[in-house]
Amino acid sequence: MRFINPKIDFAFKKIFGSSQSTEILISFLNAILYEEESIIKSLEILDPYLGPQVAGAKNSYLDVKALLNDGTFVIIEMQVLKVQAFGKRVLYNAAKTYALQLTRGELYKQLRPVIALTITDFEMFRGEQDVISHFVFKERNRLSDYLQNDIELVFVELPKFKKELDRLETLTDKWIYFIKTTGTLDEVPQTMVTVPEIQKAFEIANQVSLTQEEFNILQQQEFFAQDQEGSVAVGREEGRQEGRQEGRQEGRQEAQIELITLSLNRLLGQLNPDIENRIQQLSIDQLDDLVTALWDFSSLEDLTTWLEANSQ
């Protein structure tokens, strides 16, 4: 067997955010968020796109969004590379999900809690050993909770998870191991088969179940992820050689533009000079946002709309 890599955007959404993923997502979230207690009984998987309320405002593209049976919203992001201002992006998406619940005339008491679960393939918090971190609003000195602790940020840092297959003890261990290693496995480990939801996740992750179109999208994203790592390395190396921060940023920006343009040409067809020029004018932050949105574009019109909203 060969399995798709859950750390790739398309694969993560297919495994955890598709119409057949409800029981998988319930098991996964109970394990990660609630220490394996069966707090979540049911949930609804929602459209993960967070559109702007006003023209020209910033779009947000999440990997998975769900509404739990108690009314809590959970938004999930899988991030392979640490990009500039990533921590701010996590907080922005959580705050936006919270704020967008209300429309004109609705009351603040109708707001429901939001949990932002972020899984990273890099270390977010250097010097800390915990694989899973939970952040909520606290009073600075007394460390008491705020009156409405409605926004919680949860991080799972995959590099800090060191357990091998024979040391997996809990459901939480097994789910983190699944995300971290499935792309490298050629069979379903026997210790994982005992969990029906994980077994189902492996079935969805089996490459045999993909259509040709899905396989092509997955392959493009895998190539792009590999090239992205290379672009970051190139930017750092050029920065070291030139001995200044601007060199590192400029090198990374040029490599990022080249990779994005190549991927969009493959995905949407040959870009016209005007679109290429607009992409070249984007800042590093805007290029990072474009990478996040890249695979949600199904036409050149989608790309043009994004550029109009985000490059002003």
Side-chain angles (χ1 to χ4, degrees):
M1 293 184 188
R2 293 195 63 185
F3 300 101
I4 58 180
N5 184 356
K7 291 186 283 187
I8 299 298
D9 180 73
F10 172 82
F12 188 88
K13 291 178 180 178
K14 184 171 179 63
I15 295 168
F16 293 99
S18 67
S19 59
Q20 53 188 328
S21 303
T22 301
E23 297 304 319
I24 293 172
L25 191 56
I26 289 173
S27 174
F28 174 69
L29 292 179
N30 275 329
I32 301 298
L33 300 179
Y34 299 115
E35 299 180 336
E36 303 181 23
E37 294 187 33
S38 298
I39 302 298
I40 304 171
K41 304 297 183 183
S42 62
L43 57 78
E44 179 185 0
I45 297 175
L46 306 173
D47 181 355
Y49 171 67
L50 298 178
Q53 285 186 311
V54 295
K58 194 173 184 63
N59 297 321
S60 296
Y61 298 86
L62 310 171
D63 287 330
V64 178
K65 181 181 179 183
L67 176 62
L68 308 186
N69 53 274
D70 66 355
T72 299
F73 288 96
V74 176
I75 58 175
I76 310 173
E77 285 191 81
M78 174 72 235
Q79 184 71 18
V80 174
L81 290 177
K82 188 172 186 178
V83 296
Q84 194 172 43
F86 178 69
K88 289 182 178 292
R89 190 176 91 191
V90 171
L91 184 58
Y92 174 81
N93 285 337
K96 187 174 182 180
T97 302
Y98 190 70
L100 286 180
Q101 294 179 54
L102 297 186
T103 57
R104 182 176 298 178
E106 293 182 318
L107 304 176
Y108 292 117
K109 67 179 182 180
Q110 296 174 265
L111 287 166
R112 306 301 302 168
V114 171
I115 300 174
L117 171 57
T118 304
I119 305 156
T120 66
D121 203 26
F122 54 85
E123 290 192 8
M124 279 286 293
F125 312 106
R126 296 190 181 279
E128 303 294 336
Q129 296 183 347
D130 292 338
V131 177
I132 302 176
S133 302
H134 297 254
F135 294 88
V136 293
F137 289 119
K138 295 281 186 180
E139 200 283 329
R140 178 179 296 177
N141 298 315
R142 300 190 304 273
L143 297 182
S144 54
D145 289 335
Y146 184 63
L147 294 174
Q148 299 294 325
N149 223 332
D150 276 1
I151 297 181
E152 180 178 2
L153 307 181
V154 182
F155 295 87
V156 179
E157 299 170 84
L158 297 180
K160 294 180 180 179
F161 185 79
K162 306 295 186 181
K163 290 187 177 182
E164 300 296 336
L165 183 62
D166 59 356
R167 293 182 55 229
L168 303 182
E169 299 173 354
T170 66
L171 180 62
T172 305
D173 288 344
K174 292 177 180 179
W175 272 121
I176 297 176
Y177 185 86
F178 173 87
I179 293 175
K180 185 173 182 178
T181 67
T182 292
T184 66
L185 300 178
D186 55 16
E187 64 179 2
V188 181
Q190 287 301 311
T191 55
M192 310 279 271
V193 176
T194 57
V195 182
E197 294 83 5
I198 294 181
Q199 171 66 26
K200 185 175 181 181
F202 270 111
E203 292 172 3
I204 295 175
N206 192 336
Q207 281 193 9
V208 174
S209 66
L210 298 180
T211 65
Q212 185 61 51
E213 181 181 4
E214 289 175 329
F215 181 78
N216 291 341
I217 293 173
L218 177 67
Q219 196 169 52
Q220 286 179 353
Q221 290 193 5
E222 287 178 329
F223 289 155
F224 186 76
Q226 293 169 11
D227 289 343
Q228 261 196 303
E229 291 187 35
S231 75
V232 172
V234 166
R236 287 173 179 164
E237 180 60 27
E238 292 188 3
R240 281 195 293 269
Q241 291 176 358
E242 297 189 24
R244 61 183 191 273
Q245 176 69 17
E246 306 92 84
R248 182 166 63 250
Q249 289 291 86
E250 183 179 347
R252 182 183 164 218
Q253 187 167 5
E254 290 176 357
Q256 189 85 309
I257 289 171
E258 183 178 348
L259 290 171
I260 289 173
T261 302
L262 178 61
S263 294
L264 286 170
N265 282 333
R266 290 174 178 169
L267 190 65
L268 303 177
Q270 185 64 42
L271 302 180
N272 63 53
D274 177 62
I275 290 181
E276 289 188 356
N277 182 61
R278 292 168 72 175
I279 292 173
Q280 290 170 3
Q281 303 307 313
L282 297 176
S283 67
I284 281 287
D285 282 347
Q286 290 169 327
L287 289 170
D288 288 338
D289 287 343
L290 180 54
V291 169
T292 303
L294 200 62
W295 306 104
D296 293 292
F297 301 146
S298 58
S299 67
L300 287 172
E301 183 179 356
D302 292 339
L303 172 60
T304 301
T305 300
W306 188 94
L307 288 170
E308 289 174 351
N310 291 274
S311 59
Q312 297 176 350

